[in-house]
Amino acid sequence: MVSDHTLVLFSLKVKKSTTSRPTQWVTSRAWRRLSDEDFASDLADSQLCCNLSEHADATVDDLIDLYRRVMTELLNKHCPVVKVRRRVKPSTPWFDANCRAAHRSARAAERRFRWTYSASHRSSWTTKLKTMRLVYEKKSDEFWRNEIAANSGNTKSLWRTMQGLLGETSATETGVHTADDFATFFKNKVDAVRASTAATPLHEVSYRTTASTLDDCSAVTDDEVEKLIASALNKTCQLDPAPTWLVKEMWVLLAPFIALLFNRSLAVGYFPTEIKQAVVRPLLKKSGLDAVDLKNYRSVSNLSFLSKLLEKVVQVRLQAFLDGNDLMPCAQSAYRKYHSTETAVANDLLGLLTADQGQVSALCLLDLTAVFDTIDHELLLLWNVTSDYVWDGVTLQSLGSYLSGRSFQVLCGGSMSSSVVRPILCSVPQGSVLGPRLFIMVALCHRADHYIFALWLLSIYISIFFPRLISAAGDWMSTILPHMVWP
């Protein structure tokens, strides 16, 4: 065979590329090293579980401080905080323990081949790589199929899932702004809105007598606390001394102490100061917006796990009182069982389709988002005392304690705002359990059947003869609108 090709041999000195993914140093706990048995044993011997009668004279703040101190000390002993370097990389939600095991097995086979360069080890490495890729493909396919199926009835969540499937990520950048910049902006925004309505006179609310008053709350039992902890989501706030998943694993040991804490809080009408703090994260309202303009950000508030748990206890008792006295309006939707926002839309549509006999139909949609954020605490307490919701004694004191003395910090770029306490004099706490219920009770004290309320939107549907339409609309505007603030 004749050929004009010649074998060319050469060698090159190639250095390993220094370009790599950016890394960052973070502090975290090595949760894999945590022994559940050892932690549970020390927790059982701690002040949170032994001789609870010793805390008979302790205040609510003392009990909260004890919970935080003991849980922190135990975690520092069994799972201390370490500083590690992590590579910044896109998250892979479907990557689980099986994927990690397949990757580890393939890497071990590769190292054996690199050491011996034998044909058998090369064949084993190739087989492990194929197995790893099959596991990756299977897990990815199962995850995204389940996500799409779970969000089939929610268009917004479905689009968010599709963006993740296509590799798109939501905008989390905060531009050049610091945590203090956002804290000042959010505070000034609310102050400006409140100042614009400061001269508005209070609306007179009619008083209605009920069969009973909510002046006392039933005791919290260990079983109730256990059920609340078991049904809670695994969401953890930076203010929590221990992650929620660990509290759920230790619920048998912690339930009696938490029940003692909640009963003490309800008995004296005092909401602990430490759990009235919130961590606020600024997020862009929509991807593609200018990250430099502070007006393009919305605040997302996170509360501690114990705070939400205590609010849930109060909410259950409050809801039982409202339902027993027929005080909840039937025309309000959102944040209520069997009263979704879809119910409000269906009600409006049905009313418009059935309107006849020469009647005029009007649908007015009013955005009430600013009211949720700017309602005055004094006004909220006044309306709940003088309106349908007959509260008295310790219950009213608890509500005042729940609203007063609240503060927030802004978390941005891994740092907190320097101002530890920024007092909040208005709004119902964002991200809370009781917040939506309190807003409903204030906004719906007028009990008009043709108001269909969702918390962020008010839909006024009126179908009456034309002369009465103008009169009814005018009455509502004169009584309600002066207290509403539009964004």
Side-chain angles (χ1 to χ4, degrees), residues 185-206:
F185 170 75
F186 291 142
K187 185 177 184 299
N188 292 343
K189 177 183 178 181
V190 174
D191 291 343
V193 173
R194 294 184 69 234
S196 65
T197 60
T200 303
L202 295 178
H203 173 64
E204 294 184 3
V205 181
S206 59

mmCIF file with all atom_site columns, all heavy atoms in Angstrom, residues 185-206:
data_model
loop_
_atom_site.group_PDB
_atom_site.id
_atom_site.type_symbol
_atom_site.label_atom_id
_atom_site.label_alt_id
_atom_site.label_comp_id
_atom_site.label_asym_id
_atom_site.label_entity_id
_atom_site.label_seq_id
_atom_site.pdbx_PDB_ins_code
_atom_site.Cartn_x
_atom_site.Cartn_y
_atom_site.Cartn_z
_atom_site.occupancy
_atom_site.B_iso_or_equiv
_atom_site.pdbx_formal_charge
_atom_site.auth_seq_id
_atom_site.auth_comp_id
_atom_site.auth_asym_id
_atom_site.auth_atom_id
_atom_site.pdbx_PDB_model_num
ATOM 1   N N   . PHE A 1 185 ? -35.175 52.159 52.301 1.00 0.00 ? 185 PHE A N   1
ATOM 2   C CA  . PHE A 1 185 ? -36.185 52.322 51.259 1.00 0.00 ? 185 PHE A CA  1
ATOM 3   C C   . PHE A 1 185 ? -37.532 51.746 51.681 1.00 0.00 ? 185 PHE A C   1
ATOM 4   O O   . PHE A 1 185 ? -38.576 52.395 51.537 1.00 0.00 ? 185 PHE A O   1
ATOM 5   C CB  . PHE A 1 185 ? -35.714 51.655 49.965 1.00 0.00 ? 185 PHE A CB  1
ATOM 6   C CG  . PHE A 1 185 ? -36.782 51.561 48.914 1.00 0.00 ? 185 PHE A CG  1
ATOM 7   C CD1 . PHE A 1 185 ? -37.175 52.683 48.193 1.00 0.00 ? 185 PHE A CD1 1
ATOM 8   C CD2 . PHE A 1 185 ? -37.417 50.354 48.648 1.00 0.00 ? 185 PHE A CD2 1
ATOM 9   C CE1 . PHE A 1 185 ? -38.169 52.604 47.231 1.00 0.00 ? 185 PHE A CE1 1
ATOM 10  C CE2 . PHE A 1 185 ? -38.402 50.257 47.688 1.00 0.00 ? 185 PHE A CE2 1
ATOM 11  C CZ  . PHE A 1 185 ? -38.778 51.388 46.974 1.00 0.00 ? 185 PHE A CZ  1
ATOM 12  N N   . PHE A 1 186 ? -37.531 50.521 52.218 1.00 0.00 ? 186 PHE A N   1
ATOM 13  C CA  . PHE A 1 186 ? -38.795 49.892 52.613 1.00 0.00 ? 186 PHE A CA  1
ATOM 14  C C   . PHE A 1 186 ? -39.475 50.674 53.735 1.00 0.00 ? 186 PHE A C   1
ATOM 15  O O   . PHE A 1 186 ? -40.695 50.828 53.749 1.00 0.00 ? 186 PHE A O   1
ATOM 16  C CB  . PHE A 1 186 ? -38.536 48.452 53.063 1.00 0.00 ? 186 PHE A CB  1
ATOM 17  C CG  . PHE A 1 186 ? -38.137 47.535 51.950 1.00 0.00 ? 186 PHE A CG  1
ATOM 18  C CD1 . PHE A 1 186 ? -37.178 46.547 52.141 1.00 0.00 ? 186 PHE A CD1 1
ATOM 19  C CD2 . PHE A 1 186 ? -38.700 47.655 50.688 1.00 0.00 ? 186 PHE A CD2 1
ATOM 20  C CE1 . PHE A 1 186 ? -36.803 45.696 51.115 1.00 0.00 ? 186 PHE A CE1 1
ATOM 21  C CE2 . PHE A 1 186 ? -38.324 46.821 49.645 1.00 0.00 ? 186 PHE A CE2 1
ATOM 22  C CZ  . PHE A 1 186 ? -37.383 45.843 49.860 1.00 0.00 ? 186 PHE A CZ  1
ATOM 23  N N   . LYS A 1 187 ? -38.698 51.180 54.666 1.00 0.00 ? 187 LYS A N   1
ATOM 24  C CA  . LYS A 1 187 ? -39.265 51.949 55.775 1.00 0.00 ? 187 LYS A CA  1
ATOM 25  C C   . LYS A 1 187 ? -39.820 53.277 55.284 1.00 0.00 ? 187 LYS A C   1
ATOM 26  O O   . LYS A 1 187 ? -40.926 53.677 55.654 1.00 0.00 ? 187 LYS A O   1
ATOM 27  C CB  . LYS A 1 187 ? -38.205 52.179 56.853 1.00 0.00 ? 187 LYS A CB  1
ATOM 28  C CG  . LYS A 1 187 ? -38.739 52.865 58.106 1.00 0.00 ? 187 LYS A CG  1
ATOM 29  C CD  . LYS A 1 187 ? -37.654 52.993 59.155 1.00 0.00 ? 187 LYS A CD  1
ATOM 30  C CE  . LYS A 1 187 ? -38.225 53.596 60.439 1.00 0.00 ? 187 LYS A CE  1
ATOM 31  N NZ  . LYS A 1 187 ? -38.782 54.948 60.244 1.00 0.00 ? 187 LYS A NZ  1
ATOM 32  N N   . ASN A 1 188 ? -39.064 53.993 54.446 1.00 0.00 ? 188 ASN A N   1
ATOM 33  C CA  . ASN A 1 188 ? -39.519 55.292 53.947 1.00 0.00 ? 188 ASN A CA  1
ATOM 34  C C   . ASN A 1 188 ? -40.749 55.159 53.061 1.00 0.00 ? 188 ASN A C   1
ATOM 35  O O   . ASN A 1 188 ? -41.617 56.042 53.038 1.00 0.00 ? 188 ASN A O   1
ATOM 36  C CB  . ASN A 1 188 ? -38.396 55.980 53.175 1.00 0.00 ? 188 ASN A CB  1
ATOM 37  C CG  . ASN A 1 188 ? -37.246 56.401 54.074 1.00 0.00 ? 188 ASN A CG  1
ATOM 38  O OD1 . ASN A 1 188 ? -37.392 56.481 55.291 1.00 0.00 ? 188 ASN A OD1 1
ATOM 39  N ND2 . ASN A 1 188 ? -36.092 56.666 53.485 1.00 0.00 ? 188 ASN A ND2 1
ATOM 40  N N   . LYS A 1 189 ? -40.851 54.056 52.331 1.00 0.00 ? 189 LYS A N   1
ATOM 41  C CA  . LYS A 1 189 ? -42.007 53.856 51.463 1.00 0.00 ? 189 LYS A CA  1
ATOM 42  C C   . LYS A 1 189 ? -43.289 53.773 52.284 1.00 0.00 ? 189 LYS A C   1
ATOM 43  O O   . LYS A 1 189 ? -44.297 54.408 51.964 1.00 0.00 ? 189 LYS A O   1
ATOM 44  C CB  . LYS A 1 189 ? -41.819 52.578 50.642 1.00 0.00 ? 189 LYS A CB  1
ATOM 45  C CG  . LYS A 1 189 ? -43.009 52.233 49.760 1.00 0.00 ? 189 LYS A CG  1
ATOM 46  C CD  . LYS A 1 189 ? -42.778 50.928 49.030 1.00 0.00 ? 189 LYS A CD  1
ATOM 47  C CE  . LYS A 1 189 ? -44.008 50.555 48.185 1.00 0.00 ? 189 LYS A CE  1
ATOM 48  N NZ  . LYS A 1 189 ? -43.807 49.249 47.481 1.00 0.00 ? 189 LYS A NZ  1
ATOM 49  N N   . VAL A 1 190 ? -43.251 52.996 53.351 1.00 0.00 ? 190 VAL A N   1
ATOM 50  C CA  . VAL A 1 190 ? -44.430 52.858 54.216 1.00 0.00 ? 190 VAL A CA  1
ATOM 51  C C   . VAL A 1 190 ? -44.731 54.175 54.928 1.00 0.00 ? 190 VAL A C   1
ATOM 52  O O   . VAL A 1 190 ? -45.888 54.586 55.051 1.00 0.00 ? 190 VAL A O   1
ATOM 53  C CB  . VAL A 1 190 ? -44.215 51.719 55.224 1.00 0.00 ? 190 VAL A CB  1
ATOM 54  C CG1 . VAL A 1 190 ? -45.367 51.656 56.218 1.00 0.00 ? 190 VAL A CG1 1
ATOM 55  C CG2 . VAL A 1 190 ? -44.082 50.392 54.501 1.00 0.00 ? 190 VAL A CG2 1
ATOM 56  N N   . ASP A 1 191 ? -43.689 54.857 55.398 1.00 0.00 ? 191 ASP A N   1
ATOM 57  C CA  . ASP A 1 191 ? -43.897 56.132 56.090 1.00 0.00 ? 191 ASP A CA  1
ATOM 58  C C   . ASP A 1 191 ? -44.550 57.154 55.170 1.00 0.00 ? 191 ASP A C   1
ATOM 59  O O   . ASP A 1 191 ? -45.419 57.927 55.602 1.00 0.00 ? 191 ASP A O   1
ATOM 60  C CB  . ASP A 1 191 ? -42.559 56.679 56.595 1.00 0.00 ? 191 ASP A CB  1
ATOM 61  C CG  . ASP A 1 191 ? -41.994 55.837 57.735 1.00 0.00 ? 191 ASP A CG  1
ATOM 62  O OD1 . ASP A 1 191 ? -42.761 55.053 58.327 1.00 0.00 ? 191 ASP A OD1 1
ATOM 63  O OD2 . ASP A 1 191 ? -40.779 55.951 58.007 1.00 0.00 ? 191 ASP A OD2 1
ATOM 64  N N   . ALA A 1 192 ? -44.160 57.178 53.907 1.00 0.00 ? 192 ALA A N   1
ATOM 65  C CA  . ALA A 1 192 ? -44.730 58.136 52.964 1.00 0.00 ? 192 ALA A CA  1
ATOM 66  C C   . ALA A 1 192 ? -46.202 57.842 52.706 1.00 0.00 ? 192 ALA A C   1
ATOM 67  O O   . ALA A 1 192 ? -47.035 58.757 52.623 1.00 0.00 ? 192 ALA A O   1
ATOM 68  C CB  . ALA A 1 192 ? -43.947 58.107 51.652 1.00 0.00 ? 192 ALA A CB  1
ATOM 69  N N   . VAL A 1 193 ? -46.549 56.569 52.598 1.00 0.00 ? 193 VAL A N   1
ATOM 70  C CA  . VAL A 1 193 ? -47.943 56.201 52.365 1.00 0.00 ? 193 VAL A CA  1
ATOM 71  C C   . VAL A 1 193 ? -48.807 56.550 53.567 1.00 0.00 ? 193 VAL A C   1
ATOM 72  O O   . VAL A 1 193 ? -49.904 57.089 53.438 1.00 0.00 ? 193 VAL A O   1
ATOM 73  C CB  . VAL A 1 193 ? -48.050 54.695 52.037 1.00 0.00 ? 193 VAL A CB  1
ATOM 74  C CG1 . VAL A 1 193 ? -49.512 54.274 51.955 1.00 0.00 ? 193 VAL A CG1 1
ATOM 75  C CG2 . VAL A 1 193 ? -47.350 54.386 50.726 1.00 0.00 ? 193 VAL A CG2 1
ATOM 76  N N   . ARG A 1 194 ? -48.307 56.278 54.764 1.00 0.00 ? 194 ARG A N   1
ATOM 77  C CA  . ARG A 1 194 ? -49.061 56.593 55.972 1.00 0.00 ? 194 ARG A CA  1
ATOM 78  C C   . ARG A 1 194 ? -49.228 58.097 56.144 1.00 0.00 ? 194 ARG A C   1
ATOM 79  O O   . ARG A 1 194 ? -50.268 58.577 56.601 1.00 0.00 ? 194 ARG A O   1
ATOM 80  C CB  . ARG A 1 194 ? -48.365 56.006 57.190 1.00 0.00 ? 194 ARG A CB  1
ATOM 81  C CG  . ARG A 1 194 ? -48.346 54.491 57.219 1.00 0.00 ? 194 ARG A CG  1
ATOM 82  C CD  . ARG A 1 194 ? -47.724 53.970 58.495 1.00 0.00 ? 194 ARG A CD  1
ATOM 83  N NE  . ARG A 1 194 ? -48.566 54.232 59.633 1.00 0.00 ? 194 ARG A NE  1
ATOM 84  C CZ  . ARG A 1 194 ? -48.162 54.862 60.748 1.00 0.00 ? 194 ARG A CZ  1
ATOM 85  N NH1 . ARG A 1 194 ? -46.932 55.311 60.827 1.00 0.00 ? 194 ARG A NH1 1
ATOM 86  N NH2 . ARG A 1 194 ? -49.000 55.048 61.747 1.00 0.00 ? 194 ARG A NH2 1
ATOM 87  N N   . ALA A 1 195 ? -48.200 58.862 55.787 1.00 0.00 ? 195 ALA A N   1
ATOM 88  C CA  . ALA A 1 195 ? -48.281 60.314 55.928 1.00 0.00 ? 195 ALA A CA  1
ATOM 89  C C   . ALA A 1 195 ? -49.342 60.901 55.016 1.00 0.00 ? 195 ALA A C   1
ATOM 90  O O   . ALA A 1 195 ? -49.991 61.905 55.357 1.00 0.00 ? 195 ALA A O   1
ATOM 91  C CB  . ALA A 1 195 ? -46.919 60.942 55.640 1.00 0.00 ? 195 ALA A CB  1
ATOM 92  N N   . SER A 1 196 ? -49.550 60.277 53.849 1.00 0.00 ? 196 SER A N   1
ATOM 93  C CA  . SER A 1 196 ? -50.536 60.801 52.906 1.00 0.00 ? 196 SER A CA  1
ATOM 94  C C   . SER A 1 196 ? -51.974 60.629 53.391 1.00 0.00 ? 196 SER A C   1
ATOM 95  O O   . SER A 1 196 ? -52.882 61.287 52.879 1.00 0.00 ? 196 SER A O   1
ATOM 96  C CB  . SER A 1 196 ? -50.367 60.106 51.547 1.00 0.00 ? 196 SER A CB  1
ATOM 97  O OG  . SER A 1 196 ? -50.663 58.722 51.652 1.00 0.00 ? 196 SER A OG  1
ATOM 98  N N   . THR A 1 197 ? -52.203 59.749 54.355 1.00 0.00 ? 197 THR A N   1
ATOM 99  C CA  . THR A 1 197 ? -53.562 59.524 54.871 1.00 0.00 ? 197 THR A CA  1
ATOM 100 C C   . THR A 1 197 ? -53.673 59.868 56.350 1.00 0.00 ? 197 THR A C   1
ATOM 101 O O   . THR A 1 197 ? -54.639 59.478 57.010 1.00 0.00 ? 197 THR A O   1
ATOM 102 C CB  . THR A 1 197 ? -53.965 58.055 54.671 1.00 0.00 ? 197 THR A CB  1
ATOM 103 O OG1 . THR A 1 197 ? -53.041 57.208 55.374 1.00 0.00 ? 197 THR A OG1 1
ATOM 104 C CG2 . THR A 1 197 ? -53.957 57.686 53.203 1.00 0.00 ? 197 THR A CG2 1
ATOM 105 N N   . ALA A 1 198 ? -52.684 60.598 56.887 1.00 0.00 ? 198 ALA A N   1
ATOM 106 C CA  . ALA A 1 198 ? -52.678 60.880 58.324 1.00 0.00 ? 198 ALA A CA  1
ATOM 107 C C   . ALA A 1 198 ? -53.854 61.757 58.743 1.00 0.00 ? 198 ALA A C   1
ATOM 108 O O   . ALA A 1 198 ? -54.340 61.655 59.873 1.00 0.00 ? 198 ALA A O   1
ATOM 109 C CB  . ALA A 1 198 ? -51.361 61.549 58.707 1.00 0.00 ? 198 ALA A CB  1
ATOM 110 N N   . ALA A 1 199 ? -54.336 62.624 57.842 1.00 0.00 ? 199 ALA A N   1
ATOM 111 C CA  . ALA A 1 199 ? -55.415 63.548 58.196 1.00 0.00 ? 199 ALA A CA  1
ATOM 112 C C   . ALA A 1 199 ? -56.805 62.950 58.014 1.00 0.00 ? 199 ALA A C   1
ATOM 113 O O   . ALA A 1 199 ? -57.810 63.611 58.295 1.00 0.00 ? 199 ALA A O   1
ATOM 114 C CB  . ALA A 1 199 ? -55.304 64.822 57.353 1.00 0.00 ? 199 ALA A CB  1
ATOM 115 N N   . THR A 1 200 ? -56.906 61.727 57.558 1.00 0.00 ? 200 THR A N   1
ATOM 116 C CA  . THR A 1 200 ? -58.209 61.101 57.325 1.00 0.00 ? 200 THR A CA  1
ATOM 117 C C   . THR A 1 200 ? -58.873 60.764 58.650 1.00 0.00 ? 200 THR A C   1
ATOM 118 O O   . THR A 1 200 ? -58.285 60.084 59.493 1.00 0.00 ? 200 THR A O   1
ATOM 119 C CB  . THR A 1 200 ? -58.045 59.814 56.501 1.00 0.00 ? 200 THR A CB  1
ATOM 120 O OG1 . THR A 1 200 ? -57.380 60.120 55.282 1.00 0.00 ? 200 THR A OG1 1
ATOM 121 C CG2 . THR A 1 200 ? -59.402 59.203 56.208 1.00 0.00 ? 200 THR A CG2 1
ATOM 122 N N   . PRO A 1 201 ? -60.113 61.228 58.885 1.00 0.00 ? 201 PRO A N   1
ATOM 123 C CA  . PRO A 1 201 ? -60.797 60.911 60.151 1.00 0.00 ? 201 PRO A CA  1
ATOM 124 C C   . PRO A 1 201 ? -61.156 59.431 60.226 1.00 0.00 ? 201 PRO A C   1
ATOM 125 O O   . PRO A 1 201 ? -61.352 58.768 59.204 1.00 0.00 ? 201 PRO A O   1
ATOM 126 C CB  . PRO A 1 201 ? -62.047 61.784 60.108 1.00 0.00 ? 201 PRO A CB  1
ATOM 127 C CG  . PRO A 1 201 ? -62.296 62.010 58.645 1.00 0.00 ? 201 PRO A CG  1
ATOM 128 C CD  . PRO A 1 201 ? -60.942 62.062 58.005 1.00 0.00 ? 201 PRO A CD  1
ATOM 129 N N   . LEU A 1 202 ? -61.242 58.914 61.451 1.00 0.00 ? 202 LEU A N   1
ATOM 130 C CA  . LEU A 1 202 ? -61.610 57.524 61.651 1.00 0.00 ? 202 LEU A CA  1
ATOM 131 C C   . LEU A 1 202 ? -63.062 57.295 61.277 1.00 0.00 ? 202 LEU A C   1
ATOM 132 O O   . LEU A 1 202 ? -63.927 58.138 61.506 1.00 0.00 ? 202 LEU A O   1
ATOM 133 C CB  . LEU A 1 202 ? -61.370 57.110 63.103 1.00 0.00 ? 202 LEU A CB  1
ATOM 134 C CG  . LEU A 1 202 ? -59.920 57.101 63.588 1.00 0.00 ? 202 LEU A CG  1
ATOM 135 C CD1 . LEU A 1 202 ? -59.863 56.719 65.058 1.00 0.00 ? 202 LEU A CD1 1
ATOM 136 C CD2 . LEU A 1 202 ? -59.094 56.122 62.766 1.00 0.00 ? 202 LEU A CD2 1
ATOM 137 N N   . HIS A 1 203 ? -63.321 56.132 60.725 1.00 0.00 ? 203 HIS A N   1
ATOM 138 C CA  . HIS A 1 203 ? -64.683 55.770 60.354 1.00 0.00 ? 203 HIS A CA  1
ATOM 139 C C   . HIS A 1 203 ? -65.402 55.147 61.547 1.00 0.00 ? 203 HIS A C   1
ATOM 140 O O   . HIS A 1 203 ? -64.831 54.361 62.295 1.00 0.00 ? 203 HIS A O   1
ATOM 141 C CB  . HIS A 1 203 ? -64.658 54.771 59.188 1.00 0.00 ? 203 HIS A CB  1
ATOM 142 C CG  . HIS A 1 203 ? -66.001 54.220 58.834 1.00 0.00 ? 203 HIS A CG  1
ATOM 143 N ND1 . HIS A 1 203 ? -67.014 54.995 58.356 1.00 0.00 ? 203 HIS A ND1 1
ATOM 144 C CD2 . HIS A 1 203 ? -66.477 52.947 58.916 1.00 0.00 ? 203 HIS A CD2 1
ATOM 145 C CE1 . HIS A 1 203 ? -68.073 54.239 58.138 1.00 0.00 ? 203 HIS A CE1 1
ATOM 146 N NE2 . HIS A 1 203 ? -67.774 52.988 58.478 1.00 0.00 ? 203 HIS A NE2 1
ATOM 147 N N   . GLU A 1 204 ? -66.641 55.516 61.760 1.00 0.00 ? 204 GLU A N   1
ATOM 148 C CA  . GLU A 1 204 ? -67.415 54.966 62.866 1.00 0.00 ? 204 GLU A CA  1
ATOM 149 C C   . GLU A 1 204 ? -67.901 53.567 62.504 1.00 0.00 ? 204 GLU A C   1
ATOM 150 O O   . GLU A 1 204 ? -68.546 53.366 61.475 1.00 0.00 ? 204 GLU A O   1
ATOM 151 C CB  . GLU A 1 204 ? -68.612 55.866 63.171 1.00 0.00 ? 204 GLU A CB  1
ATOM 152 C CG  . GLU A 1 204 ? -68.213 57.242 63.708 1.00 0.00 ? 204 GLU A CG  1
ATOM 153 C CD  . GLU A 1 204 ? -69.423 58.069 64.091 1.00 0.00 ? 204 GLU A CD  1
ATOM 154 O OE1 . GLU A 1 204 ? -70.549 57.525 63.976 1.00 0.00 ? 204 GLU A OE1 1
ATOM 155 O OE2 . GLU A 1 204 ? -69.250 59.228 64.492 1.00 0.00 ? 204 GLU A OE2 1
ATOM 156 N N   . VAL A 1 205 ? -67.599 52.616 63.363 1.00 0.00 ? 205 VAL A N   1
ATOM 157 C CA  . VAL A 1 205 ? -67.971 51.227 63.136 1.00 0.00 ? 205 VAL A CA  1
ATOM 158 C C   . VAL A 1 205 ? -69.080 50.848 64.102 1.00 0.00 ? 205 VAL A C   1
ATOM 159 O O   . VAL A 1 205 ? -68.969 51.093 65.313 1.00 0.00 ? 205 VAL A O   1
ATOM 160 C CB  . VAL A 1 205 ? -66.756 50.296 63.336 1.00 0.00 ? 205 VAL A CB  1
ATOM 161 C CG1 . VAL A 1 205 ? -67.142 48.846 63.073 1.00 0.00 ? 205 VAL A CG1 1
ATOM 162 C CG2 . VAL A 1 205 ? -65.622 50.727 62.423 1.00 0.00 ? 205 VAL A CG2 1
ATOM 163 N N   . SER A 1 206 ? -70.137 50.267 63.583 1.00 0.00 ? 206 SER A N   1
ATOM 164 C CA  . SER A 1 206 ? -71.263 49.877 64.426 1.00 0.00 ? 206 SER A CA  1
ATOM 165 C C   . SER A 1 206 ? -70.879 48.704 65.325 1.00 0.00 ? 206 SER A C   1
ATOM 166 O O   . SER A 1 206 ? -70.106 47.837 64.939 1.00 0.00 ? 206 SER A O   1
ATOM 167 C CB  . SER A 1 206 ? -72.461 49.491 63.560 1.00 0.00 ? 206 SER A CB  1
ATOM 168 O OG  . SER A 1 206 ? -72.121 48.418 62.696 1.00 0.00 ? 206 SER A OG  1
#
